[in-house]
Amino acid sequence: MTPDQWPTAFTARIAQGMREARKTAGLTMGEVAQGCADRGLTEFTEHSMKNLESGRKVSITVADFVVLADVLGVPPVSLLFPLGATATVEVLPGQEVSTWDALAWFTGETPLDQPAAEGTARDVLDVFRHHGDLVAAATSSNALAKERRRTASTTLDRARRATLLQRAEGYEEHAFEDCQELRAFRGRMHERGLVPPALPDELAFVDQPEIPSKTEDSE
C-alpha cells in the first residue's frame, strides 16, 4: 500500500468495524443517525452512515468517530484495530505490525525496557494505570475482609467463631495496608499536580485525613 492510499484504507477498516458493530447491535442506519442526534451530533445523518459504509465517505472526524462508537456500544480502539479479526494491520504508512502491538501502541501500553521519564505522556499513563491497579486491589481486599467478618459474626459455634474472627483480622490488616498504599499513592499524584480519579463510594474513606485501623463493616 502506498502512503497516499493508507488514509483511505484506514478509514475503510473503521467503516467495516462500524458496519459489523451496527449489525451486531441490530441497529438500522437511521437508528444510528438518531443516536448521534440524541448525543448532539446532528450533522451525522443516515446518508452519512450510508456513505461511510459504502466507501464513498473516505474520512471521518474524531468527533464523529467517538460518538459513533458510543452509539454502537463498542470501545473506540476496537474500531481502529480489530483485535481478533485480523493478525496484522498497517498501523502507519508502510508499517505492518500485529494488531495487538498496534492497539498497545495506541493506548500507551507498549512495554519499555526502562520506566518512562517522569512527566512524559507515557509516564502519566503508567501512573494512572497503577492507580487503577491499587484501587482494584483495595476494593477486593476490603470486600473480602468484610465478608470474612460477616461470616464469623454469624457463626453460632463459639470455637469456630473465634477461629474465623482471628482469620478475619488478618484479612482486615491486609485491606488496611492496601488502603494505606492507595492513600499514599494518591498523595504523590497530588504532589505532582495530577488529579486522581474519584474513588468508589466504598473507598471514599481513603481520602479522609485518617484511615481506620480496621475495615469497618458498614453497609
Side-chain angles (χ1 to χ4, degrees):
M1 186 186 306
T2 61
D4 60 325
Q5 294 174 325
W6 179 81
T8 300
F10 193 90
T11 302
R13 186 169 72 235
I14 293 173
Q16 180 181 351
M18 287 184 173
R19 180 170 57 251
E20 293 172 355
R22 179 179 64 78
K23 292 181 178 180
T24 298
L27 297 172
T28 65
M29 293 184 186
E31 289 170 334
V32 172
Q34 184 58 53
C36 290
D38 293 342
R39 290 160 175 78
L41 191 68
T42 56
E43 61 269 24
F44 195 91
T45 64
E46 180 177 356
H47 187 64
S48 302
M49 193 66 186
K50 288 179 179 179
N51 284 340
L52 182 63
E53 290 194 6
S54 67
R56 290 191 295 271
K57 185 176 176 63
V58 296
S59 65
I60 184 173
T61 68
V62 174
D64 291 351
F65 173 71
V66 295
V67 171
L68 281 166
D70 185 58
V71 172
L72 297 169
V74 294
V77 72
S78 68
L79 295 172
L80 295 173
F81 307 108
L83 193 64
T86 179
T88 63
V89 293
E90 191 171 353
V91 63
L92 292 170
Q95 295 187 32
E96 188 88 10
V97 300
S98 78
T99 307
W100 172 248
D101 286 343
L103 189 149
W105 164 77
F106 187 84
T107 59
E109 296 177 273
T110 303
L112 297 176
D113 293 333
Q114 297 179 352
E118 184 171 323
T120 62
R122 171 59 196 270
D123 171 57
V124 173
L125 283 172
D126 289 344
V127 167
F128 277 81
R129 287 197 181 96
H130 186 56
H131 177 271
D133 291 341
L134 293 177
V135 170
T139 299
S140 177
S141 60
N142 270 267
L144 187 56
K146 289 180 179 181
E147 178 189 355
R148 296 292 179 174
R149 171 66 61 174
R150 188 178 300 112
T151 299
S153 300
T154 57
T155 299
L156 297 179
D157 183 275
R158 290 185 176 181
R160 177 167 173 74
R161 183 172 185 272
T163 299
L164 291 177
L165 285 173
Q166 186 176 13
R167 291 178 181 174
E169 289 180 359
Y171 282 98
E172 289 167 345
E173 185 62 30
H174 181 65
F176 175 61
E177 292 173 356
D178 283 347
C179 290
Q180 280 187 314
E181 184 177 2
L182 174 59
R183 182 171 186 262
F185 191 81
R186 288 172 68 83
R188 291 194 294 273
M189 290 178 72
H190 281 297
E191 290 171 0
R192 289 185 52 181
L194 301 175
V195 180
L199 290 170
D201 290 343
E202 62 269 25
L203 294 180
F205 65 87
V206 170
D207 281 338
Q208 299 303 314
E210 298 293 335
I211 299 179
S213 59
K214 297 294 182 182
T215 302
E216 297 179 1
D217 189 10
S218 57
E219 299 297 330

mmCIF file of all heavy atoms in Angstrom, residues 141-174:
data_model
loop_
_atom_site.group_PDB
_atom_site.id
_atom_site.type_symbol
_atom_site.label_atom_id
_atom_site.label_comp_id
_atom_site.label_asym_id
_atom_site.label_seq_id
_atom_site.Cartn_x
_atom_site.Cartn_y
_atom_site.Cartn_z
ATOM 1 N N SER A 141 -9.728 -6.421 48.504
ATOM 2 C CA SER A 141 -9.342 -6.827 49.859
ATOM 3 C C SER A 141 -10.337 -6.333 50.900
ATOM 4 O O SER A 141 -10.613 -7.029 51.884
ATOM 5 C CB SER A 141 -7.933 -6.324 50.186
ATOM 6 O OG SER A 141 -7.864 -4.918 50.125
ATOM 7 N N ASN A 142 -10.898 -5.138 50.703
ATOM 8 C CA ASN A 142 -11.902 -4.637 51.643
ATOM 9 C C ASN A 142 -13.169 -5.474 51.596
ATOM 10 O O ASN A 142 -13.750 -5.792 52.634
ATOM 11 C CB ASN A 142 -12.233 -3.176 51.320
ATOM 12 C CG ASN A 142 -11.343 -2.208 52.062
ATOM 13 O OD1 ASN A 142 -11.683 -1.736 53.140
ATOM 14 N ND2 ASN A 142 -10.172 -1.915 51.507
ATOM 15 N N ALA A 143 -13.601 -5.833 50.397
ATOM 16 C CA ALA A 143 -14.803 -6.646 50.265
ATOM 17 C C ALA A 143 -14.597 -8.019 50.904
ATOM 18 O O ALA A 143 -15.487 -8.542 51.588
ATOM 19 C CB ALA A 143 -15.165 -6.797 48.785
ATOM 20 N N LEU A 144 -13.424 -8.589 50.698
ATOM 21 C CA LEU A 144 -13.129 -9.903 51.264
ATOM 22 C C LEU A 144 -13.066 -9.835 52.783
ATOM 23 O O LEU A 144 -13.578 -10.718 53.486
ATOM 24 C CB LEU A 144 -11.811 -10.430 50.700
ATOM 25 C CG LEU A 144 -11.431 -11.865 51.071
ATOM 26 C CD1 LEU A 144 -12.529 -12.825 50.660
ATOM 27 C CD2 LEU A 144 -10.117 -12.254 50.403
ATOM 28 N N ALA A 145 -12.462 -8.769 53.318
ATOM 29 C CA ALA A 145 -12.368 -8.620 54.769
ATOM 30 C C ALA A 145 -13.761 -8.491 55.397
ATOM 31 O O ALA A 145 -14.048 -9.087 56.439
ATOM 32 C CB ALA A 145 -11.526 -7.401 55.111
ATOM 33 N N LYS A 146 -14.617 -7.715 54.753
ATOM 34 C CA LYS A 146 -15.982 -7.551 55.265
ATOM 35 C C LYS A 146 -16.743 -8.873 55.219
ATOM 36 O O LYS A 146 -17.496 -9.201 56.156
ATOM 37 C CB LYS A 146 -16.713 -6.491 54.451
ATOM 38 C CG LYS A 146 -16.216 -5.084 54.697
ATOM 39 C CD LYS A 146 -16.986 -4.077 53.856
ATOM 40 C CE LYS A 146 -16.498 -2.661 54.130
ATOM 41 N NZ LYS A 146 -17.235 -1.642 53.352
ATOM 42 N N GLU A 147 -16.535 -9.620 54.155
ATOM 43 C CA GLU A 147 -17.207 -10.912 54.026
ATOM 44 C C GLU A 147 -16.750 -11.865 55.131
ATOM 45 O O GLU A 147 -17.566 -12.567 55.744
ATOM 46 C CB GLU A 147 -16.914 -11.519 52.659
ATOM 47 C CG GLU A 147 -17.547 -12.891 52.458
ATOM 48 C CD GLU A 147 -17.071 -13.581 51.196
ATOM 49 O OE1 GLU A 147 -16.315 -12.950 50.428
ATOM 50 O OE2 GLU A 147 -17.420 -14.751 51.009
ATOM 51 N N ARG A 148 -15.440 -11.889 55.408
ATOM 52 C CA ARG A 148 -14.911 -12.773 56.448
ATOM 53 C C ARG A 148 -15.447 -12.368 57.822
ATOM 54 O O ARG A 148 -15.785 -13.209 58.650
ATOM 55 C CB ARG A 148 -13.380 -12.711 56.446
ATOM 56 C CG ARG A 148 -12.749 -13.232 55.175
ATOM 57 C CD ARG A 148 -12.931 -14.730 55.021
ATOM 58 N NE ARG A 148 -12.328 -15.214 53.780
ATOM 59 C CZ ARG A 148 -12.237 -16.481 53.432
ATOM 60 N NH1 ARG A 148 -12.720 -17.404 54.242
ATOM 61 N NH2 ARG A 148 -11.686 -16.836 52.288
ATOM 62 N N ARG A 149 -15.504 -11.064 58.085
ATOM 63 C CA ARG A 149 -16.023 -10.580 59.365
ATOM 64 C C ARG A 149 -17.497 -10.937 59.510
ATOM 65 O O ARG A 149 -17.952 -11.365 60.582
ATOM 66 C CB ARG A 149 -15.825 -9.070 59.454
ATOM 67 C CG ARG A 149 -16.498 -8.390 60.641
ATOM 68 C CD ARG A 149 -15.924 -8.804 61.962
ATOM 69 N NE ARG A 149 -14.503 -8.482 62.084
ATOM 70 C CZ ARG A 149 -13.809 -8.651 63.221
ATOM 71 N NH1 ARG A 149 -14.398 -9.167 64.303
ATOM 72 N NH2 ARG A 149 -12.529 -8.345 63.265
ATOM 73 N N ARG A 150 -18.258 -10.795 58.425
ATOM 74 C CA ARG A 150 -19.682 -11.092 58.464
ATOM 75 C C ARG A 150 -19.915 -12.585 58.705
ATOM 76 O O ARG A 150 -20.789 -12.979 59.491
ATOM 77 C CB ARG A 150 -20.330 -10.655 57.148
ATOM 78 C CG ARG A 150 -21.848 -10.727 57.139
ATOM 79 C CD ARG A 150 -22.413 -10.221 55.816
ATOM 80 N NE ARG A 150 -22.032 -8.832 55.582
ATOM 81 C CZ ARG A 150 -21.199 -8.435 54.623
ATOM 82 N NH1 ARG A 150 -20.628 -9.322 53.822
ATOM 83 N NH2 ARG A 150 -20.922 -7.156 54.463
ATOM 84 N N THR A 151 -19.125 -13.414 58.023
ATOM 85 C CA THR A 151 -19.260 -14.863 58.196
ATOM 86 C C THR A 151 -18.947 -15.272 59.630
ATOM 87 O O THR A 151 -19.670 -16.076 60.241
ATOM 88 C CB THR A 151 -18.307 -15.607 57.233
ATOM 89 O OG1 THR A 151 -18.641 -15.278 55.886
ATOM 90 C CG2 THR A 151 -18.407 -17.116 57.427
ATOM 91 N N ALA A 152 -17.887 -14.699 60.169
ATOM 92 C CA ALA A 152 -17.507 -15.024 61.550
ATOM 93 C C ALA A 152 -18.583 -14.584 62.535
ATOM 94 O O ALA A 152 -18.896 -15.297 63.503
ATOM 95 C CB ALA A 152 -16.184 -14.354 61.893
ATOM 96 N N SER A 153 -19.143 -13.423 62.307
ATOM 97 C CA SER A 153 -20.123 -12.862 63.242
ATOM 98 C C SER A 153 -21.437 -13.629 63.245
ATOM 99 O O SER A 153 -22.211 -13.540 64.209
ATOM 100 C CB SER A 153 -20.386 -11.388 62.901
ATOM 101 O OG SER A 153 -19.195 -10.636 62.998
ATOM 102 N N THR A 154 -21.726 -14.359 62.188
ATOM 103 C CA THR A 154 -22.998 -15.096 62.108
ATOM 104 C C THR A 154 -22.833 -16.577 62.404
ATOM 105 O O THR A 154 -23.779 -17.345 62.253
ATOM 106 C CB THR A 154 -23.616 -14.918 60.706
ATOM 107 O OG1 THR A 154 -22.687 -15.346 59.712
ATOM 108 C CG2 THR A 154 -23.977 -13.454 60.457
ATOM 109 N N THR A 155 -21.624 -16.986 62.809
ATOM 110 C CA THR A 155 -21.390 -18.386 63.145
ATOM 111 C C THR A 155 -21.737 -18.633 64.609
ATOM 112 O O THR A 155 -21.271 -17.910 65.500
ATOM 113 C CB THR A 155 -19.914 -18.764 62.901
ATOM 114 O OG1 THR A 155 -19.610 -18.568 61.520
ATOM 115 C CG2 THR A 155 -19.659 -20.213 63.273
ATOM 116 N N LEU A 156 -22.577 -19.627 64.876
ATOM 117 C CA LEU A 156 -23.053 -19.883 66.236
ATOM 118 C C LEU A 156 -22.066 -20.698 67.062
ATOM 119 O O LEU A 156 -22.005 -20.556 68.285
ATOM 120 C CB LEU A 156 -24.407 -20.605 66.184
ATOM 121 C CG LEU A 156 -25.555 -19.804 65.528
ATOM 122 C CD1 LEU A 156 -26.833 -20.635 65.519
ATOM 123 C CD2 LEU A 156 -25.767 -18.486 66.267
ATOM 124 N N ASP A 157 -21.293 -21.547 66.424
ATOM 125 C CA ASP A 157 -20.330 -22.356 67.154
ATOM 126 C C ASP A 157 -19.218 -21.454 67.694
ATOM 127 O O ASP A 157 -18.514 -20.792 66.938
ATOM 128 C CB ASP A 157 -19.747 -23.423 66.218
ATOM 129 C CG ASP A 157 -18.788 -24.338 66.945
ATOM 130 O OD1 ASP A 157 -17.603 -23.963 67.065
ATOM 131 O OD2 ASP A 157 -19.227 -25.416 67.374
ATOM 132 N N ARG A 158 -19.049 -21.425 69.013
ATOM 133 C CA ARG A 158 -18.111 -20.481 69.636
ATOM 134 C C ARG A 158 -16.662 -20.713 69.217
ATOM 135 O O ARG A 158 -15.934 -19.759 68.946
ATOM 136 C CB ARG A 158 -18.236 -20.570 71.157
ATOM 137 C CG ARG A 158 -19.544 -20.007 71.690
ATOM 138 C CD ARG A 158 -19.553 -20.011 73.206
ATOM 139 N NE ARG A 158 -20.767 -19.397 73.721
ATOM 140 C CZ ARG A 158 -21.020 -19.260 75.019
ATOM 141 N NH1 ARG A 158 -20.140 -19.710 75.923
ATOM 142 N NH2 ARG A 158 -22.156 -18.700 75.417
ATOM 143 N N ALA A 159 -16.263 -21.954 69.207
ATOM 144 C CA ALA A 159 -14.878 -22.252 68.846
ATOM 145 C C ALA A 159 -14.600 -21.848 67.388
ATOM 146 O O ALA A 159 -13.579 -21.225 67.085
ATOM 147 C CB ALA A 159 -14.604 -23.744 69.050
ATOM 148 N N ARG A 160 -15.520 -22.213 66.519
ATOM 149 C CA ARG A 160 -15.331 -21.869 65.105
ATOM 150 C C ARG A 160 -15.409 -20.351 64.926
ATOM 151 O O ARG A 160 -14.663 -19.777 64.128
ATOM 152 C CB ARG A 160 -16.397 -22.561 64.255
ATOM 153 C CG ARG A 160 -16.301 -22.187 62.779
ATOM 154 C CD ARG A 160 -17.149 -23.123 61.920
ATOM 155 N NE ARG A 160 -17.179 -22.663 60.535
ATOM 156 C CZ ARG A 160 -16.179 -22.769 59.675
ATOM 157 N NH1 ARG A 160 -15.045 -23.334 60.065
ATOM 158 N NH2 ARG A 160 -16.298 -22.348 58.434
ATOM 159 N N ARG A 161 -16.281 -19.714 65.696
ATOM 160 C CA ARG A 161 -16.418 -18.262 65.584
ATOM 161 C C ARG A 161 -15.110 -17.572 65.965
ATOM 162 O O ARG A 161 -14.671 -16.629 65.309
ATOM 163 C CB ARG A 161 -17.547 -17.778 66.488
ATOM 164 C CG ARG A 161 -17.833 -16.281 66.388
ATOM 165 C CD ARG A 161 -19.093 -15.928 67.168
ATOM 166 N NE ARG A 161 -19.440 -14.543 66.994
ATOM 167 C CZ ARG A 161 -18.979 -13.543 67.755
ATOM 168 N NH1 ARG A 161 -18.140 -13.818 68.750
ATOM 169 N NH2 ARG A 161 -19.331 -12.299 67.519
ATOM 170 N N ALA A 162 -14.476 -18.046 67.012
ATOM 171 C CA ALA A 162 -13.210 -17.451 67.454
ATOM 172 C C ALA A 162 -12.135 -17.622 66.382
ATOM 173 O O ALA A 162 -11.358 -16.692 66.113
ATOM 174 C CB ALA A 162 -12.758 -18.106 68.755
ATOM 175 N N THR A 163 -12.106 -18.803 65.766
ATOM 176 C CA THR A 163 -11.130 -19.055 64.705
ATOM 177 C C THR A 163 -11.374 -18.141 63.507
ATOM 178 O O THR A 163 -10.433 -17.549 62.955
ATOM 179 C CB THR A 163 -11.202 -20.519 64.254
ATOM 180 O OG1 THR A 163 -10.899 -21.373 65.369
ATOM 181 C CG2 THR A 163 -10.218 -20.789 63.132
ATOM 182 N N LEU A 164 -12.639 -18.023 63.133
ATOM 183 C CA LEU A 164 -12.980 -17.199 61.976
ATOM 184 C C LEU A 164 -12.721 -15.715 62.240
ATOM 185 O O LEU A 164 -12.293 -14.985 61.346
ATOM 186 C CB LEU A 164 -14.451 -17.416 61.593
ATOM 187 C CG LEU A 164 -14.790 -18.796 61.019
ATOM 188 C CD1 LEU A 164 -16.285 -18.916 60.747
ATOM 189 C CD2 LEU A 164 -14.007 -19.053 59.740
ATOM 190 N N LEU A 165 -12.974 -15.274 63.472
ATOM 191 C CA LEU A 165 -12.711 -13.877 63.811
ATOM 192 C C LEU A 165 -11.214 -13.576 63.741
ATOM 193 O O LEU A 165 -10.800 -12.496 63.299
ATOM 194 C CB LEU A 165 -13.248 -13.553 65.202
ATOM 195 C CG LEU A 165 -14.766 -13.392 65.310
ATOM 196 C CD1 LEU A 165 -15.192 -13.240 66.766
ATOM 197 C CD2 LEU A 165 -15.237 -12.181 64.498
ATOM 198 N N GLN A 166 -10.414 -14.540 64.170
ATOM 199 C CA GLN A 166 -8.956 -14.359 64.093
ATOM 200 C C GLN A 166 -8.510 -14.262 62.633
ATOM 201 O O GLN A 166 -7.666 -13.429 62.286
ATOM 202 C CB GLN A 166 -8.258 -15.526 64.788
ATOM 203 C CG GLN A 166 -6.750 -15.354 64.882
ATOM 204 C CD GLN A 166 -6.094 -16.490 65.672
ATOM 205 O OE1 GLN A 166 -6.718 -17.509 65.943
ATOM 206 N NE2 GLN A 166 -4.859 -16.305 66.055
ATOM 207 N N ARG A 167 -9.089 -15.095 61.790
ATOM 208 C CA ARG A 167 -8.758 -15.038 60.377
ATOM 209 C C ARG A 167 -9.224 -13.725 59.766
ATOM 210 O O ARG A 167 -8.538 -13.124 58.931
ATOM 211 C CB ARG A 167 -9.405 -16.212 59.639
ATOM 212 C CG ARG A 167 -8.804 -17.563 59.981
ATOM 213 C CD ARG A 167 -9.528 -18.676 59.246
ATOM 214 N NE ARG A 167 -8.990 -19.995 59.584
ATOM 215 C CZ ARG A 167 -9.521 -21.136 59.169
ATOM 216 N NH1 ARG A 167 -10.616 -21.115 58.405
ATOM 217 N NH2 ARG A 167 -8.981 -22.288 59.520
ATOM 218 N N ALA A 168 -10.402 -13.267 60.187
ATOM 219 C CA ALA A 168 -10.941 -12.017 59.657
ATOM 220 C C ALA A 168 -10.012 -10.851 59.964
ATOM 221 O O ALA A 168 -9.837 -9.946 59.148
ATOM 222 C CB ALA A 168 -12.325 -11.753 60.237
ATOM 223 N N GLU A 169 -9.394 -10.882 61.134
ATOM 224 C CA GLU A 169 -8.468 -9.813 61.499
ATOM 225 C C GLU A 169 -7.279 -9.765 60.539
ATOM 226 O O GLU A 169 -6.779 -8.689 60.193
ATOM 227 C CB GLU A 169 -7.984 -10.019 62.930
ATOM 228 C CG GLU A 169 -9.057 -9.752 63.978
ATOM 229 C CD GLU A 169 -8.539 -9.974 65.387
ATOM 230 O OE1 GLU A 169 -7.345 -10.349 65.525
ATOM 231 O OE2 GLU A 169 -9.311 -9.781 66.344
ATOM 232 N N GLY A 170 -6.839 -10.937 60.098
ATOM 233 C CA GLY A 170 -5.743 -10.979 59.133
ATOM 234 C C GLY A 170 -6.142 -10.357 57.809
ATOM 235 O O GLY A 170 -5.366 -9.598 57.211
ATOM 236 N N TYR A 171 -7.353 -10.670 57.368
ATOM 237 C CA TYR A 171 -7.841 -10.074 56.121
ATOM 238 C C TYR A 171 -8.012 -8.565 56.268
ATOM 239 O O TYR A 171 -7.732 -7.798 55.342
ATOM 240 C CB TYR A 171 -9.177 -10.713 55.726
ATOM 241 C CG TYR A 171 -9.028 -12.076 55.087
ATOM 242 C CD1 TYR A 171 -9.204 -13.238 55.841
ATOM 243 C CD2 TYR A 171 -8.711 -12.208 53.742
ATOM 244 C CE1 TYR A 171 -9.070 -14.496 55.264
ATOM 245 C CE2 TYR A 171 -8.578 -13.455 53.148
ATOM 246 C CZ TYR A 171 -8.753 -14.599 53.916
ATOM 247 O OH TYR A 171 -8.600 -15.839 53.333
ATOM 248 N N GLU A 172 -8.462 -8.132 57.429
ATOM 249 C CA GLU A 172 -8.653 -6.702 57.664
ATOM 250 C C GLU A 172 -7.325 -5.961 57.674
ATOM 251 O O GLU A 172 -7.230 -4.829 57.187
ATOM 252 C CB GLU A 172 -9.412 -6.501 58.975
ATOM 253 C CG GLU A 172 -10.870 -6.913 58.890
ATOM 254 C CD GLU A 172 -11.548 -7.013 60.247
ATOM 255 O OE1 GLU A 172 -10.836 -7.046 61.269
ATOM 256 O OE2 GLU A 172 -12.784 -7.069 60.274
ATOM 257 N N GLU A 173 -6.308 -6.595 58.207
ATOM 258 C CA GLU A 173 -4.990 -5.975 58.215
ATOM 259 C C GLU A 173 -4.462 -5.827 56.787
ATOM 260 O O GLU A 173 -3.874 -4.797 56.426
ATOM 261 C CB GLU A 173 -4.026 -6.831 59.039
ATOM 262 C CG GLU A 173 -2.644 -6.212 59.224
ATOM 263 C CD GLU A 173 -2.677 -4.892 59.972
ATOM 264 O OE1 GLU A 173 -3.568 -4.706 60.820
ATOM 265 O OE2 GLU A 173 -1.811 -4.040 59.688
ATOM 266 N N HIS A 174 -4.699 -6.832 55.978
ATOM 267 C CA HIS A 174 -4.277 -6.773 54.583
ATOM 268 C C HIS A 174 -5.017 -5.655 53.849
ATOM 269 O O HIS A 174 -4.424 -4.884 53.073
ATOM 270 C CB HIS A 174 -4.545 -8.116 53.903
ATOM 271 C CG HIS A 174 -4.136 -8.174 52.465
ATOM 272 N ND1 HIS A 174 -2.833 -8.074 52.048
ATOM 273 C CD2 HIS A 174 -4.883 -8.300 51.324
ATOM 274 C CE1 HIS A 174 -2.774 -8.142 50.726
ATOM 275 N NE2 HIS A 174 -4.007 -8.272 50.268
#
